[in-house]
Amino acid sequence: MKLHKKILLGSFISMAMVSCNTTNDSIEEKSPEAQTALNAGTSADFANTQMCKDVYLPGEGYIPGTASKGAVVSSKKWPNGSVITVKLTGGTTKVRNKVMQYAQQWSQYANITFQFVTSGNAQIRVSFISGAGSYSYIGKDALSIASNQETMNFGWFNDSTTDTEFSRTTIHEFGHALGMIHEHQHPLAAIPWDKPKVYAYYAGAPNYWTQAQVDNNLFAKYSTTQTQYSAYDKLSIMHYSISSNLTTNGFSVGNNTVLSATDKQFIATVYPKS
């Protein structure tokens, strides 16, 4: 696929969350055919999905379906070649090691280094507050958060978490930390949502979202005039899983657990190594 432009979440609003559920797959590089099979997903799989809400900087509200803030990409993107300090607070040794392992997937393709520290101040501060969901502020928005507060959280990791879950959730959240948006809010996405069913599903456990939260997290799309974007990528690590039960024509998206080919190509153009 010829890469043109792909969305950065920092393009015009500050928000990021992750779509996750638990599977027992091991993580490895897969052929396109195997990746497609892995991402096929079923309604049964989707029933276990834990979704997370978007988070905003103070004063940066978002009105679904509007252009919202007109910030340019450079306001959220880290300078190319940055060494970004990251401190992990809480969690077990195994959980912290897994987060460090999978966060580094981005650095294989982007000219960005995550430097994990155990003392002093850090630009990205990761907590493991159980029950608080998984989320991240977007790109350099983390620098605007008080140094004694987290900028990222993993709310359901423990020593029993599978590598599949560690991979999907960690890579997704650190993608937000680099400035990437949710792929289902791509300006060219044309997902045939069955809105009444979506509202009803997310009103229940484990999300308990209001209609406004569903609008914000699922239906609102980014403006083509305020974002950088490529072709919509159904296999992106930044995509929510979507059950066929929540669309009008059976459209679905599985649980994407690794970087897609387009993710790799795109992040290499955002943070080029040469």
Side-chain angles (χ1 to χ4, degrees):
M1 177 190 301
K2 182 179 179 181
L3 184 67
H4 300 291
K5 296 181 178 179
K6 189 177 180 71
I7 306 172
L8 282 180
L9 184 53
S11 305
F12 78 108
I13 65 175
S14 299
M15 68 185 209
M17 276 299 116
V18 59
S19 164
C20 298
N21 84 345
T22 302
T23 66
N24 294 315
D25 299 324
S26 60
I27 300 302
E28 58 186 32
E29 288 296 319
K30 300 180 184 293
S31 67
E33 293 80 7
Q35 178 65 56
T36 299
L38 174 66
N39 288 335
T42 66
S43 296
D45 294 335
F46 184 85
N48 297 319
T49 298
Q50 299 180 85
M51 300 292 189
C52 298
K53 297 175 292 187
D54 298 332
V55 291
Y56 311 88
L57 284 180
E60 286 196 323
Y62 179 60
I63 302 172
T66 70
S68 190
K69 303 293 182 180
V72 297
V73 170
S74 59
S75 70
K76 308 290 184 182
K77 191 177 90 170
W78 300 87
N80 192 41
S82 289
V83 177
I84 304 171
T85 54
V86 183
K87 183 191 289 185
L88 310 180
T89 302
T92 66
T93 298
K94 176 182 177 179
V95 166
R96 292 194 299 272
N97 285 340
K98 289 295 184 180
V99 168
M100 290 187 284
Q101 173 188 343
Y102 287 111
Q104 301 291 12
Q105 291 287 311
W106 288 108
S107 296
Q108 294 183 33
Y109 307 97
N111 187 19
I112 290 288
T113 300
F114 292 119
Q115 180 180 336
F116 291 89
V117 299
T118 57
S119 62
N121 293 327
Q123 294 161 303
I124 294 175
R125 298 171 297 280
V126 180
S127 59
F128 299 89
I129 304 169
S130 179
S134 295
Y135 53 84
S136 174
Y137 285 93
I138 305 310
K140 291 196 303 179
D141 280 356
L143 302 179
S144 299
I145 304 303
S147 61
N148 64 345
Q149 296 179 10
E150 81 281 358
T151 66
M152 183 184 297
N153 188 66
F154 296 104
W156 50 75
F157 283 174
N158 56 51
D159 284 354
S160 298
T161 300
T162 65
D163 271 8
T164 295
E165 182 73 359
F166 279 124
S167 176
R168 175 187 33 240
T169 308
T170 302
I171 299 173
H172 182 111
E173 294 303 344
F174 276 87
H176 283 316
L178 290 177
M180 295 189 71
I181 70 155
H182 283 135
E183 192 70 9
H184 65 274
Q185 294 180 304
H186 189 295
L188 301 184
I191 299 169
W193 295 107
D194 189 328
K195 290 189 175 183
K197 290 183 179 179
V198 174
Y199 287 132
Y201 175 83
Y202 282 97
N207 301 289
Y208 302 107
W209 285 355
T210 65
Q211 286 197 11
Q213 287 173 318
V214 173
D215 289 338
N216 286 352
N217 291 291
L218 292 172
F219 300 151
K221 295 198 297 185
Y222 290 81
S223 166
T224 58
T225 62
Q226 296 174 319
T227 55
Q228 291 182 292
Y229 62 95
S230 72
Y232 164 72
D233 179 18
K234 185 177 178 180
L235 298 182
S236 175
I237 192 68
M238 304 309 296
H239 209 305
Y240 272 22
S241 58
I242 300 175
S243 169
S244 60
N245 292 336
L246 300 183
T247 60
T248 59
N249 65 356
F251 175 87
S252 65
V253 175
N255 294 307
N256 299 337
T257 62
V258 296
L259 291 168
S260 71
T262 301
D263 288 333
K264 296 173 183 178
Q265 293 172 338
F266 171 62
I267 207 66
T269 66
V270 175
Y271 300 105
K273 293 192 174 186
S274 59

